[in-house]
Amino acid sequence: DHDMNILKAEIERDDLKKAVALWRERNKFQGILYPTEHGYKAAKDGEVEIKKLAKTLAEARIRDKKCQPVGICSENYEHDSHSLTGDSKDERARLNAAKFEAYHEIDSRKPEDKVLKFRVTCVRNGTHCFGSQDAAYHVGGRLQDMFHWIVDLNFYDIEIMLNVREDSMYYGIALTKESKHRRNINFFGPTTLRATICYNMLRLAQPKAGDIIIDPMCGGGSIPIEGSLAFHSSYFMCGDIHEKAVNRTRSNLDHIESHTQRRYMDVLHWDTTHLILRDSSVDICVTDLPFGKRSGSVFDNRTLYKQVLLELARVVRCNIGRAILLTYDRKSMTMALTFAAGLWKLVKKLKINIGGLEAGVYVLWRLKAPAALPQRVPKTRHRKSGRHSVLSSEKRNLSCTLWVLRRPTTGSNSESGATTVGPDRRRKRTSTTMMPTPTNTIVSELDTYGHVYGSGMKPYPIYSEAVTTL
Ligand SMILES: C[S@@+](CC[C@H](N)C(=O)[O-])C[C@H]1O[C@@H](n2cnc3c(N)ncnc32)[C@H](O)[C@@H]1O
């Protein structure tokens, strides 16, 4: 009772009337906002009458539709009337849609004669001595007493949102009738993050014009896609270790780009522990790490998270760079943060509900460059088999030759440089590489003498050459 009284007292504040006035302006609501008690009763009676008629009409229509293909209405009547109780989810949805249609057909009142209809929805997180429905019921009752609004759970005009988080609460007014969390994504994967969460993670990073932002573990690309649409003046780049995820991101991106004819960002196939990016070249990293449930495993996370923090410290700019990381595996993250304590400062940690899982969002700032980055992450062994974890396996050193090639001038094409890396040609002298050609279509060959050939082109002479270790 004590908690309910607090919730009810909060809704009585004057701010609500101001918010409702703004809502009215935005939604162009023409009806009666604050009716008298008499006006409320008359409107409610009218509403009940229209709903009764709409229900009868909707049920009759559904029965008619069902009868049509069979042709013998009486034989199917019993079965149909049973189904109209709305037992299954599909049937209920069908019935509601039909009722909605019938309601608007029957309702002949002018918009300015209608009394505001409302519902209260409670979103609750934490342990409380009341349920969400109890809270919505009591707050709804209080609103009805105060303003004489009509309760309507389906055909409401305004939805009051009551958000209870642990020991705090706030009210809001829903601006849309549908959640926007599925916006912009067409190809969903097993771990696709809600667009609303992506947006808020990006906001935590406070992107500025010209910032280079990466999501190194992008999955289906929900974070960079949301970012490139919301923060136009930043440049987004993303990648994933799984080719399927990279393809899904490309499909999502293609879908948006086909509508807008604009190029939004770049997608690469990479491993976050060995990013193909220069040192201190990135301003912000926003990513959703594998939780170790649907993606990866908690065991692998112990090593992976440390490697990720180390590699991100290399590519993110010192002093001004920041990283916003989301994970459910908070233990692995705490261990990784302790490991990389000299590189990252934890400035904020937020709790977040991801489909019922209590995850954490970590806001990190890149510290000043230390004299040397920490040594490689120690190897983690599988306890039983004694095998090395794939993620913790040692890097193999490959001796390679780096060729800098000069593109010969052909026709009107201007001269340009190209760089390629292949195995050390003193050991093995052949390699295949993709080079842009005048027609942009042909795979060029690096021959045994180190010359690169493209279709109908002169060989690329070697400009310089160096042996390097990768
Ligand atoms: C939680 S999911 C990301 C989901 C994504 N935010 C979305 O909305 O689709 C984590 C992703 O990290 C990727 N991943 C795991 N290890 C990686 C690594 N070493 N390098 C790059 N990506 C990796 C997985 O393939 C997976 O797609």
Side-chain angles (χ1 to χ4, degrees):
D1 279 357
H2 175 256
D3 286 352
M4 282 302 152
N5 286 338
I6 294 176
L7 297 182
K8 284 197 249 177
E10 278 300 305
I11 199 79
E12 285 167 15
R13 286 159 51 134
D14 271 355
D15 310 17
L16 182 66
K17 276 197 170 178
K18 284 186 206 158
V20 171
L22 284 174
W23 168 87
R24 173 189 211 155
E25 215 176 292
R26 184 187 180 275
N27 286 272
K28 312 220 170 354
F29 178 74
Q30 297 168 16
I32 305 163
L33 267 193
Y34 303 110
T36 58
E37 201 174 338
H38 176 72
Y40 159 76
K41 276 186 183 146
K44 192 162 181 217
D45 290 346
E47 199 68 39
V48 170
E49 200 56 40
I50 295 171
K51 276 197 171 164
K52 226 190 262 173
L53 288 173
K55 188 173 178 232
T56 317
L57 185 61
E59 286 180 352
R61 279 181 180 166
I62 289 179
R63 256 182 231 120
D64 285 352
K65 257 190 201 162
K66 280 201 159 189
C67 289
Q68 270 168 16
V70 183
I72 313 160
C73 192
S74 55
E75 277 183 13
N76 291 288
Y77 185 79
E78 202 175 311
H79 167 74
D80 287 343
S81 60
H82 171 71
S83 74
L84 288 179
T85 53
D87 282 346
S88 80
K89 211 175 162 190
D90 272 0
E91 278 169 5
R92 243 178 294 141
R94 210 154 38 97
L95 188 60
N96 275 341
K99 272 197 221 165
F100 187 75
E101 210 181 289
Y103 176 90
H104 286 288
E105 273 174 37
I106 294 167
D107 186 9
S108 57
R109 294 169 298 173
K110 288 185 197 153
E112 53 274 20
D113 294 339
K114 294 182 189 176
V115 167
L116 186 84
K117 290 184 291 177
F118 82 111
R119 82 173 189 188
V120 178
T121 302
C122 174
V123 181
R124 200 170 53 84
N125 203 345
T127 313
H128 303 99
C129 54
F130 56 85
S132 306
Q133 283 192 1
D134 298 334
Y137 175 82
H138 281 93
V139 171
R142 185 73 200 110
L143 282 172
Q144 201 179 38
D145 291 346
M146 281 160 59
F147 302 137
H148 303 131
W149 289 345
I150 297 173
V151 177
D152 195 326
L153 300 186
N154 294 319
F155 310 145
Y156 57 90
D157 301 304
I158 191 169
E159 183 175 24
I160 306 292
M161 299 296 302
L162 163 59
N163 295 281
V164 182
R165 300 258 180 275
E166 307 288 351
D167 59 352
S168 60
M169 52 84 56
Y170 65 91
Y171 285 103
I173 295 179
L175 293 177
T176 56
K177 288 203 172 173
E178 267 177 20
S179 169
K180 291 279 179 197
H181 73 262
R182 282 171 165 260
R183 64 186 173 219
N184 307 328
I185 299 294
N186 286 281
F187 300 90
F188 289 83
T191 55
T192 301
L193 199 60
R194 289 176 169 222
T196 39
I197 295 175
C198 299
Y199 177 78
N200 283 305
M201 284 175 69
L202 286 154
R203 270 194 61 174
L204 283 171
Q206 302 173 356
K208 293 187 202 74
D211 274 352
I212 294 176
I213 305 176
I214 60 164
D215 177 356
M217 299 165 126
C218 67
S222 42
I223 294 175
I225 287 177
E226 184 65 25
S228 54
L229 291 168
F231 302 95
H232 293 274
S233 42
S234 300
Y235 166 68
F236 285 82
M237 184 191 258
C238 67
D240 200 285
I241 201 164
H242 286 296
E243 215 163 333
K244 263 190 183 172
V246 174
N247 290 338
R248 199 177 307 125
T249 303
R250 289 213 173 103
S251 305
N252 279 321
L253 204 54
D254 286 348
H255 190 264
I256 294 172
E257 287 177 353
S258 65
H259 285 91
T260 55
Q261 310 295 324
R262 213 194 102 194
R263 182 120 192 96
Y264 285 95
M265 61 186 209
D266 289 302
V267 192
L268 294 162
H269 185 198
W270 67 23
D271 179 352
T272 308
T273 60
H274 302 100
L275 287 171
I276 44 169
L277 296 171
R278 288 190 200 176
D279 294 0
S280 305
S281 57
V282 170
D283 297 288
I284 296 171
C285 165
V286 182
T287 202
D288 168 17
L289 294 156
F291 283 13
K293 285 200 163 256
R294 279 186 216 163
S295 173
S297 73
V298 171
F299 180 79
D300 283 343
N301 285 351
R302 293 285 143 88
T303 313
L304 178 70
Y305 284 17
K306 289 177 190 164
Q307 288 178 320
V308 168
L309 283 189
L310 214 58
E311 185 63 352
L312 289 180
R314 183 183 68 76
V315 298
V316 171
R317 295 166 70 183
C318 296
N319 264 340
I320 52 167
R322 46 246 187 244
I324 316 297
L325 309 177
L326 166 70
T327 182
Y328 166 72
D329 186 356
R330 288 181 284 166
K331 200 163 178 188
S332 296
M333 183 51 99
T334 307
M335 287 163 78
L337 283 171
T338 312
F339 170 78
L343 302 169
W344 295 101
K345 181 183 172 195
L346 175 65
V347 287
K348 206 186 270 180
K349 188 175 146 191
L350 302 162
K351 276 188 195 163
I352 168 173
N353 184 339
I354 306 270
L357 296 178
E358 197 177 276
V361 174
Y362 296 77
V363 180
L364 311 179
W365 279 358
R366 179 74 174 88
L367 294 170
K368 268 190 204 155
L373 287 177
Q375 291 304 301
R376 191 171 297 152
V377 178
K379 282 179 279 179
T380 312
R381 286 173 187 277
H382 282 280
R383 257 160 285 154
K384 281 188 184 158
S385 65
R387 281 188 300 115
H388 286 191
S389 154
V390 177
L391 290 164
S392 63
S393 64
E394 286 276 303
K395 271 194 269 177
R396 270 178 52 218
N397 288 337
L398 282 176
S399 178
C400 291
T401 306
L402 181 75
W403 286 288
V404 179
L405 309 174
R406 187 166 290 285
R407 167 96 149 68
T409 320
T410 48
S412 59
N413 284 307
S414 59
E415 198 178 55
S416 61
T419 309
T420 183
V421 180
D424 188 346
R425 73 188 179 96
R426 274 171 301 193
R427 281 194 222 148
K428 195 177 172 209
R429 297 171 70 94
T430 54
S431 167
T432 305
T433 179
M434 284 284 276
M435 302 295 286
T437 70
T439 53
N440 225 5
T441 51
I442 309 297
V443 177
S444 305
E445 283 281 320
L446 189 65
D447 77 359
T448 46
Y449 303 102
H451 289 137
V452 179
Y453 289 95
S455 158
M457 289 165 59
K458 290 181 204 163
Y460 283 76
I462 292 174
Y463 186 70
S464 70
E465 182 182 343
V467 176
T468 182
T469 303
L470 294 182

